[in-house]
């Protein structure tokens, strides 16, 4: 789309990295609508296959730290969007960010790319870079790498992004809704300049058609400068809640704050920490030069309360296109499949259960695809809740991430403390565990037809232990499987039967077994 909001004749060829993330997943359809061609670079292309726009965009496999795959992805590209970051608080993430940015800039130059567009963080003025949080410092450094490269770059710097599904929005939402009285860190008085995700996307799309001589950073923000306390009060007003009582205390460090946020909100401490660290300093736009190239539309950028109301409406109408949890979670397994690893010499424990269902496969599949989130897990809610609390206690994601959509799932969606790894509509849902475990775990649910033509529900829990602790973990929890997994199988089949107005009385036996050797794919 041109800077006047009109489609660009013929369009440009754009590469989007981070398309499985919150902003990237929303940017792709905006670029397509503007008349551009889009190629996505992803480590796991199958994560993108269920997005509504997947048939219109090209997807290639690669990693931004791998020069060869980046070079191939950039071939024939006019504008390259860099929307990835090394997540986590480990000591090496800044090096990874720096190395990846240099690889991307070098390969973009070799490929003749006309522009790099990068979305980074708004940094405070007059503050030594060494005093910035590691995440803000890394974002600033990545921006410099692109601005120092021979390829013209647009570096957009934003503070808090408000939109349905954003980590900042969900942190604000849950803190305000769950705590009518809050003892908070002193950063609630820090001023910031939030921006609606719609305006972020408008600036990103408009950056594609900037003149070739534009090579600079731009501050982007909404029209309101607010403290975090102001934002919580604003959320309460828009959501129809009573005004919250907030008592700031100076003793809560960013690290302690992140754990506190992790306990109260769905955002795990590993992601809450960079968000809270960025609130230590005032981050306010010092210019609005972006309007020279992407002119402001009437009523835009959106005021904070309007961006908030829009995000709330999207959540309540279950129209959340992407969520912060769409991206990988720090510390989670990196895309293993139960059919991929070489299990030779290792163990793969299984809990397998199957039951006849007095319902159609379609009715059974509807129950399977609707599992988790507000719909629950169909067995022993207290046990699931306790497992979620324990996971949060050790820094995991817990159960509070919920679902992006109440009825439909797609590959890559987060689902409480699981990740959707595979869907064969009407037949298979495979989930990979992202809770903290001494091994790798999956849960598979099948809607099948037996030899007699009857509907059958089959369920497999799989666990590949890591070390002696992994084996001990499996045998310690296996006595509870009959209650948790057995009850889950029975209740899912009964829910499917009740959906047809019938009362099923399924029965069946579960089995738990550990076995050695290589697993063959389940088909």
């Amino acid at each position: 789309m041109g800077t006047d909001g009109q489609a660009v004749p013929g369009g440009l060829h754009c590469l989007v990295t981070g398309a499985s993330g919150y902003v990237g997943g929303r940017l792709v359809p905006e670029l397509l609508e503007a008349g551009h061609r889009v190629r996505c670079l992803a480590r796991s292309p199958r994560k993108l296959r269920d997005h509504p726009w997947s048939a219109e965009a090209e997807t290639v496999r690669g990693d931004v730290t791998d020069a060869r795959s980046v070079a191939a992805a950039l071939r024939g590209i006019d504008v390259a969007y860099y929307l990835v970051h090394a997540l986590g608080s480990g000591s090496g993430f800044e090096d990874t960010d720096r190395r990846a940015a240099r690889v991307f800039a070098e390969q973009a130059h070799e490929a003749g790319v006309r522009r790099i567009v990068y979305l980074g963080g708004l940094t405070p003025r007059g503050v030594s870079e060494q005093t910035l949080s590691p995440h803000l410092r890394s974002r600033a450094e990545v921006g410099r790498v692109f601005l120092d490269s021979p390829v013209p770059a647009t570096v957009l710097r934003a503070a808090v992004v408000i939109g349905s599904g954003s980590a900042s929005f969900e942190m604000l939402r849950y803190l305000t809704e769950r705590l009518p009285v809050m003892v908070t860190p002193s950063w609630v008085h820090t001023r910031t300049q939030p921006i609606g995700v719609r305006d972020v996307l408008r600036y990103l799309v408009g950056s594609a058609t900037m003149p070739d001589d534009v090579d600079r950073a731009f501050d982007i923000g909404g029209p309101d400068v607010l403290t975090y306390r102001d934002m919580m009060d604003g959320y309460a007003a828009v959501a129809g809640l009573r005004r919250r009582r907030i008592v700031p205390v100076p003793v809560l460090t960013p690290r302690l704050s992140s754990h506190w946020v992790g306990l109260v909100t769905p955002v795990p401490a590993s992601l809450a920490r960079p968000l809270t660290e960025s609130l230590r300093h005032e981050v306010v736009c010092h210019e609005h030069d972006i309007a020279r190239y992407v002119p402001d539309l009437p009523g835009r950028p959106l005021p904070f309360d309007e961006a908030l109301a829009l995000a709330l409406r999207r959540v309540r109408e279950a129209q959340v296109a992407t969520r912060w949890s769409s991206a990988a979670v720090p510390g989670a397994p990196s895309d293993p499949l139960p059919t991929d690893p070489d299990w030779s010499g290792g163990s793969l424990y299984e809990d397998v259960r199957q039951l006849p269902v007095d319902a159609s496969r379609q009715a059974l599949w509807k129950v399977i695809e609707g599992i988790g989130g507000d719909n629950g897990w169909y067995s022993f809610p207290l046990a699931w809740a306790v497992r979620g609390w324990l996971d949060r206690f050790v820094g995991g994601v817990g159960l509070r991430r919920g679902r992006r959509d109440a009825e439909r799932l797609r590959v890559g969606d987060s689902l409480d403390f699981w990740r959707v790894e595979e869907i064969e509509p009407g037949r298979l849902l495979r989930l990979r565990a992202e809770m903290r475990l001494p091994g790798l775990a999956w849960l598979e649910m099948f809607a099948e037809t037996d030899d007699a033509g009857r509907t059958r529900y089959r369920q497999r829990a799989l666990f590949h232990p890591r070390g002696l602790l992994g084996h001990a973990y499996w045998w310690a929890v296996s006595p509870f499987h009959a209650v948790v997994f057995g009850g889950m199988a029975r209740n899912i089949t009964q829910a499917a039967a009740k959906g047809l107005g019938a009362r099923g009385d399924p029965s069946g036996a579960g089995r738990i077994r550990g076995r050695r050797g290589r697993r063959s794919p389940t088909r």
Side-chain angles (χ1 to χ4, degrees):
M1 183 173 292
T3 55
D4 60 356
Q6 300 299 313
V8 178
L12 299 169
H13 199 182
C14 302
L15 176 73
V16 176
T17 64
S20 62
Y22 176 70
V23 173
R26 297 188 179 206
L27 176 61
V28 173
E30 296 291 327
L31 290 170
L32 291 169
E33 186 177 351
H36 302 305
R37 290 177 294 146
V38 178
R39 177 185 297 160
C40 300
L41 175 67
R43 285 183 295 178
S44 300
R46 61 190 179 81
K47 282 186 176 181
L48 304 179
R49 75 174 194 202
D50 294 332
H51 284 260
W53 43 260
S54 60
E56 301 177 64
E58 176 190 4
T59 302
V60 297
R61 184 184 302 275
D63 189 290
V64 289
T65 61
D66 175 38
R68 181 175 298 180
S69 64
V70 171
L74 287 168
R75 194 171 296 122
I77 291 296
D78 299 308
V79 180
Y81 286 88
Y82 192 85
L83 303 173
V84 295
H85 297 290
L87 294 174
S89 54
S91 58
F93 85 91
E94 289 185 82
D95 290 336
T96 302
D97 269 343
R98 183 185 309 112
R99 185 174 73 255
R102 287 174 176 168
V103 166
F104 198 80
E106 290 167 2
Q107 296 305 319
H109 177 52
E110 290 292 326
V113 171
R114 291 167 49 183
R115 178 166 300 280
I116 295 172
V117 181
Y118 169 62
L119 177 63
L122 190 58
T123 53
R125 297 289 177 90
V127 175
S128 167
E129 190 169 289
Q130 297 307 310
T131 64
L132 294 176
S133 73
H135 291 267
L136 275 182
R137 186 168 61 238
S138 181
R139 294 220 190 337
E141 183 178 18
V142 168
R144 283 200 309 276
V145 168
F146 292 139
L147 291 174
D148 290 342
S149 77
V151 181
T154 300
V155 174
L156 303 179
R157 301 184 296 205
V160 176
V161 176
I162 300 297
S164 58
S166 77
S168 297
F169 169 74
E170 294 207 11
M171 190 171 97
L172 174 66
R173 173 189 172 199
Y174 281 90
L175 285 176
T176 310
E177 288 187 352
R178 292 182 173 175
L179 298 175
V181 178
M182 287 175 271
V183 177
T184 62
S186 57
W187 48 250
V188 296
H189 290 312
T190 303
R191 296 199 315 157
T192 188
Q193 194 162 349
I195 181 171
V197 68
R198 286 194 174 190
D199 289 307
V200 173
L201 295 171
R202 187 168 61 88
Y203 291 138
L204 284 168
V205 174
S207 295
T209 53
M210 284 186 176
D212 292 343
D213 60 350
V214 176
D215 185 20
R216 56 162 293 183
F218 297 91
D219 293 350
I220 59 172
D224 304 302
V225 176
L226 306 165
T227 66
Y228 206 84
R229 177 171 186 161
D230 293 334
M231 289 195 290
M232 287 191 283
D233 287 339
Y235 181 93
V238 171
L241 304 173
R242 291 182 180 177
R243 185 180 177 87
R244 275 23 196 165
R245 299 194 178 200
I246 299 170
V247 182
V249 294
V251 295
L252 283 175
T253 65
R255 183 180 182 84
L256 289 175
S257 296
S258 66
H259 287 290
W260 169 69
V261 170
L263 287 173
V264 177
T265 80
V267 182
S270 56
L271 296 182
R273 185 169 182 180
L275 294 177
T276 55
E277 282 180 333
S278 66
L279 293 169
R280 289 187 301 173
H281 302 289
E282 179 175 291
V283 280
V284 175
C285 298
H286 288 269
E287 44 86 7
H288 188 53
D289 296 348
I290 188 74
R292 299 179 191 170
Y293 307 99
V294 188
D296 291 335
L297 301 175
R300 305 292 286 273
L302 285 174
F304 172 74
D305 58 349
E306 290 185 27
L308 206 56
L310 180 60
L312 268 174
R313 186 164 68 250
R314 292 288 189 188
V315 170
R316 290 167 177 167
E317 294 174 355
Q319 294 181 350
V320 181
T322 60
R323 298 182 71 218
W324 61 271
S325 53
S326 302
V329 174
S334 179
D335 302 319
L337 286 169
T339 55
D340 284 351
D342 184 353
W343 301 108
S344 180
S347 298
L348 184 66
Y349 291 111
E350 292 184 299
D351 180 288
V352 181
R353 299 169 191 271
Q354 59 184 30
L355 294 169
V357 186
D358 187 15
S360 67
R361 280 183 58 178
Q362 292 79 5
L364 174 58
W365 178 252
K366 185 176 181 180
V367 175
I368 291 173
E369 192 176 13
I371 202 164
D374 292 339
N375 299 326
W377 290 88
Y378 292 92
S379 73
F380 203 178
L382 180 60
W384 287 93
V386 169
R387 187 63 185 88
W389 297 334
L390 290 174
D391 194 53
R392 299 290 283 193
F393 182 76
V394 297
V397 296
L399 280 173
R400 295 192 191 133
R401 292 191 301 182
R403 298 172 54 107
R404 177 190 56 83
D405 185 289
E407 296 181 356
R408 298 286 178 263
L409 292 173
R410 64 191 185 203
V411 170
D413 273 359
S414 61
L415 181 58
D416 294 329
F417 48 42
W418 305 90
R419 176 80 59 182
V420 178
E421 191 165 75
E422 182 60 270
I423 298 179
E424 295 179 21
R427 179 183 177 272
L428 164 68
L429 173 63
R430 179 186 294 135
L431 307 175
R432 169 170 47 88
E434 290 192 334
M435 74 281 278
R436 298 296 178 94
L437 289 170
L440 304 175
W442 298 267
L443 179 62
E444 295 180 330
M445 289 165 276
F446 296 85
E448 299 177 327
T449 303
D450 64 18
D451 294 338
R454 297 172 302 181
T455 302
R456 177 178 63 197
Y457 173 68
R458 184 159 61 92
Q459 175 182 294
R460 290 203 315 165
L462 301 158
F463 183 67
H464 175 55
R466 184 173 58 245
L468 182 61
L469 181 60
H471 290 277
Y473 172 84
W474 174 263
W475 292 111
V477 300
S478 60
F480 303 99
H481 286 178
V483 175
V484 176
F485 292 133
M488 183 177 177
R490 288 191 300 273
N491 292 330
I492 284 176
T493 58
Q494 290 172 3
K498 289 177 180 178
L500 290 182
R503 293 191 174 274
D505 184 22
S507 61
R511 48 196 172 93
I512 302 174
R513 55 191 172 96
R515 75 184 204 75
R516 305 252 174 207
R518 187 178 182 90
R519 292 293 305 162
S520 60
T522 300
R523 287 287 182 262

